[in-house]
Amino acid sequence: MKKVVSLVGARPQFIKEAVIGAEVRRRNAWNHILVHSGQHYDANMSDIFFSELDMKQPDYFLSVGSGLHGKQTAEVLVKFEELLLKEKPDMVLVYGDTNTTVVGDVMYDLYLKMNPRFTLEKTREQFGLGEGRYIIAILYRDLVDNPESLKHILEGLAKAKKATGLEILFPLHPRTRKRIAEFGLQDLISAFKITEPIGYLDLMSLTQQCSAVVTDSGGYQKEAYYAGKRLWWSCLIRGGENWLIIAGIYLLNTNGTIFFSLKKCLKVPEETENLYGEGNAGPKIVSFLLKEPC
């Protein structure tokens, strides 16, 4: 039997691993060794996904933690190389952070699989939100390290809240929380509904009934698209009437830009084109890796 080492470390990879890992176990396809780099180590950004998505616990945890890109990458390379020399696998499986696969998208597979477990009304009421009366904002990439850009985004969201009466649900990533405090921007989020990072099932349940999504996460952009929330993104532009609500420096140089984009987004029809396959990307990927006909 083949031995495959699968390396994960952040939310988008956990979601993809949940699909592939389940299919490997179902077919007993190979000896699947799961390695967690430790890039995301906070319980709300890591542990909750393993429990909610019925994932196998990691065989190895590299504990690289947070840090500068170069240092973090170097630590993964050093520790992972030692592990590979020990395990001597036939194959190494890694997942791109936001890229889609060529035969479909395993994130869509998981979305369809978990859909019956979404608790829309219960979760919405748990967070004190009205149906269709809130915007979800998730920000945590390099953009939040720029005080000017982060300020513009928060000002734009505050402006949208005032103009529309919609709540701003803002699950705060540890990095974003730290930067808001560091830059003295706490007053701009005082009227938002602030929470800790939200697990997959609750976030997907909330996304079903939100008015719009503002995010710099490639993975969450796709998940919002699955739920029929219109976005513009390089991969999604083929879908037609998609509007860009992604937090990009080149678009959010003024708080008016995000406000204008949100107004446009709220007027777009709900129908969406299916760009991500039929929910069978996981089996196709495993068959491909086994060199079986798809």
Side-chain angles (χ1 to χ4, degrees), residues 96-113:
D97 189 40
T98 59
N99 293 334
T100 58
T101 54
V102 294
V103 296
D105 193 304
V106 290
M107 293 178 69
Y108 187 53
D109 290 25
L110 184 71
Y111 177 85
L112 294 179
K113 177 182 178 181

Side-chain angles (χ1 to χ4, degrees), residues 4-10 13-15 17-18 21 25 31-43 45-64 80 83 86-87 95:
V4 176
V5 169
S6 180
L7 176 65
V8 298
Q13 295 141 22
F14 302 152
I15 291 172
E17 169 63 29
R25 292 195 299 274
N31 179 13
H32 194 71
I33 298 174
L34 182 57
V35 181
H36 188 332
S37 73
Q39 179 182 338
H40 279 179
Y41 51 86
D42 181 271
M45 297 295 292
S46 176
D47 296 354
I48 192 170
F49 292 97
F50 283 82
S51 60
E52 283 191 344
L53 307 184
D54 302 320
M55 293 175 63
K56 168 188 174 181
Q57 289 299 308
D59 298 287
Y60 293 93
F61 190 79
L62 303 185
S63 302
V64 299
F80 194 52
L83 186 150
K86 173 185 174 182
E87 290 289 348
Y95 305 99

Side-chain angles (χ1 to χ4, degrees), residues 113-146:
K113 177 182 178 181
M114 292 295 169
N115 193 279
R117 294 174 57 184
F118 298 161
T119 53
L120 279 59
E121 186 174 353
K122 178 182 176 182
T123 305
R124 179 170 50 75
E125 290 179 352
Q126 175 187 331
F127 283 83
L129 298 165
E131 182 176 357
R133 298 301 304 161
Y134 57 97
I135 294 166
I136 301 176
I138 295 182
L139 307 166
Y140 62 88
R141 294 190 177 276
D142 292 352
L143 181 65
V144 305
D145 294 332
N146 183 309

Side-chain angles (χ1 to χ4, degrees), residues 185-248:
L185 303 176
Q186 296 94 328
D187 288 349
L188 292 179
I189 63 171
S190 60
F192 298 173
K193 190 175 287 290
I194 305 298
T195 73
E196 294 296 318
I198 301 174
Y200 182 83
L201 294 177
D202 281 348
L203 182 58
M204 291 302 98
S205 298
L206 291 169
T207 303
Q208 304 296 309
Q209 298 187 67
C210 74
S211 298
V213 164
V214 175
T215 187
D216 56 2
S217 165
Y220 185 45
Q221 288 174 52
K222 290 190 289 184
E223 289 162 344
Y225 184 84
Y226 306 155
K229 308 306 171 183
R230 287 290 189 172
L231 299 161
W232 183 104
W233 189 34
S234 58
C235 180
L236 299 180
I237 189 64
R238 292 181 292 128
E241 299 172 337
N242 296 311
W243 287 96
L244 180 57
I245 311 297
I246 177 175

Side-chain angles (χ1 to χ4, degrees), residues 256-276:
T257 305
I258 192 170
F259 175 59
F260 172 79
S261 299
L262 276 169
K263 286 199 302 182
K264 285 284 188 180
C265 181
L266 294 172
K267 294 179 181 179
V268 173
E270 290 294 320
E271 295 79 9
T272 58
E273 177 187 347
N274 179 11
L275 302 179
Y276 290 106

